[in-house]
Amino acid sequence: MTTEKVQVIAIDGPSGAGKSSAAKKIAEALSWDYLDTGAMYRATALALMRAGVGLEDEAALFKVLGSMRLEQLGTRIFLNDEDVSEAIRSHEITQFVTPVSADGRVREVLVEQQRIIGQRGGFVVDGRDIGTVVFPDAALKIYLTASVEARAQRRFLEQQAKGIDMALDAVAADIQRRDHADSTRAVAPLRKAEDAVELDSSNLTLDQVVAKIVGMWRQLQG
Ligand code: DC
């Protein structure tokens, strides 16, 4: 029996490896859509924070999960029709999204939405569990990594460009905190799918990463 592959390129890996930048460009190169699942967890964290709801109040949690509407148009993310693309990148949300994304009840709701969106194919999807849980039948799975130093350096430069002053050490410590939380959580921890191709971007430019992944996709098409 052959399993039907879904036309999805799944890109998983730790924070700051360049997944979302690469995923956007790959989607452009193939004229596909891009789904940023991290943004969905972030928008959920924002919805909970705004409602003043924590993870301990199950009834209130389900109320927020059941009433929020998430949408991604291009690279913008909308929460109940409001563009929250900037609001979800705040330091506060970056901290709060760690426990939110570790919660099995939250994951169940978001994974279902991600499957509905991506199922029709022609999607580049980035996250932590795309190749392992969301689309185990993805046609191509990439596990994108980079050294902590390389990731911290990139994030540091990004923050500086945005006018955010944060010491390189603090950026590296935050990346390590997130790596640890993402890979040791009980539900859907970050790990490489057995059939994923591992790509270390430490010494590659964004364009080189994109070219490698697009090349792998084209090769698969024969
Ligand atoms: O990639 P990001 O930093 O925007 O992700 C935000 C958070 O959501 C981060 O804590 C990891 C988590 N996440 C996840 O658990 N599963 C995904 N598929 C995507 C992100």
Side-chain angles (χ1 to χ4, degrees), residues 57 70 91 97 169 194 199 217:
D57 184 347
L70 301 182
H91 185 64
V97 72
D169 279 3
E194 264 173 36
L199 190 57
W217 173 256

Side-chain angles (χ1 to χ4, degrees), residues 12 15 19 36-39 41-42 89 94 97-98 101-102 107 114 126-130 134 155 178 182 185 188:
D12 291 304
S15 301
K19 300 183 299 293
D36 180 351
T37 64
Y41 287 98
R42 286 172 178 271
R89 305 283 159 201
T94 300
V97 72
T98 300
S101 65
R107 299 200 74 85
Q114 291 157 14
D126 89 79
R128 304 293 189 287
D129 61 338
I130 309 306
V134 184
R155 188 55 45 95
R178 296 175 67 194
D182 290 347
R185 69 183 177 211

Side-chain angles (χ1 to χ4, degrees), residues 11-219:
I11 306 183
D12 291 304
S15 301
K19 300 183 299 293
S20 61
S21 309
K24 275 177 211 162
K25 287 201 147 198
I26 294 161
E28 262 172 45
L30 298 175
S31 298
W32 283 14
D33 286 310
Y34 160 56
L35 181 64
D36 180 351
T37 64
M40 294 175 73
Y41 287 98
R42 286 172 178 271
T44 303
L46 181 67
L48 290 169
M49 189 175 272
R50 282 181 173 175
V53 170
L55 297 165
E56 62 296 334
D57 184 347
E58 183 153 284
L61 172 68
F62 278 123
K63 200 166 161 213
V64 172
L65 290 177
S67 62
M68 66 173 191
R69 228 168 353 90
L70 301 182
E71 215 180 344
Q72 193 185 323
L73 296 174
T75 58
R76 311 297 295 179
I77 179 103
F78 293 81
L79 168 63
N80 303 329
D81 297 324
E82 177 193 344
D83 186 342
V84 292
S85 312
E86 273 83 37
I88 60 170
R89 305 283 159 201
S90 74
H91 185 64
E92 244 184 323
I93 293 296
T94 300
Q95 300 286 320
F96 185 46
V97 72
T98 300
V100 169
S101 65
D103 190 288
R105 299 162 298 182
V106 171
R107 299 200 74 85
E108 204 173 309
V109 170
L110 294 194
V111 166
E112 193 190 338
Q113 293 185 13
Q114 291 157 14
R115 287 190 181 135
I116 291 170
I117 297 167
Q119 201 57 49
R120 70 174 158 85
F123 266 93
V124 184
V125 186
D126 89 79
R128 304 293 189 287
D129 61 338
I130 309 306
T132 52
V133 175
V134 184
F135 291 111
D137 299 328
L140 177 60
K141 299 181 187 178
I142 306 292
Y143 192 73
L144 192 63
T145 62
S147 66
V148 171
E149 294 74 24
R151 291 184 285 138
Q153 183 66 30
R154 284 181 201 153
R155 188 55 45 95
F156 174 73
L157 293 175
E158 269 171 29
Q159 306 269 49
Q160 280 207 319
K162 284 192 213 156
I164 301 168
D165 210 11
M166 205 169 157
L168 184 58
D169 279 3
V171 178
D174 194 51
I175 282 181
Q176 280 173 309
R177 172 191 72 78
R178 296 175 67 194
D179 283 359
H180 181 75
D182 290 347
S183 52
T184 58
R185 69 183 177 211
V187 193
L190 169 67
R191 64 176 178 82
K192 175 184 166 297
E194 264 173 36
D195 51 350
V197 179
E198 186 160 351
L199 190 57
D200 184 333
S201 74
S202 305
N203 298 309
L204 297 174
T205 64
L206 175 59
D207 286 342
Q208 287 172 324
V209 170
V210 171
K212 276 184 189 284
I213 299 174
V214 170
M216 284 182 225
W217 173 256
R218 298 213 196 281
Q219 202 165 12

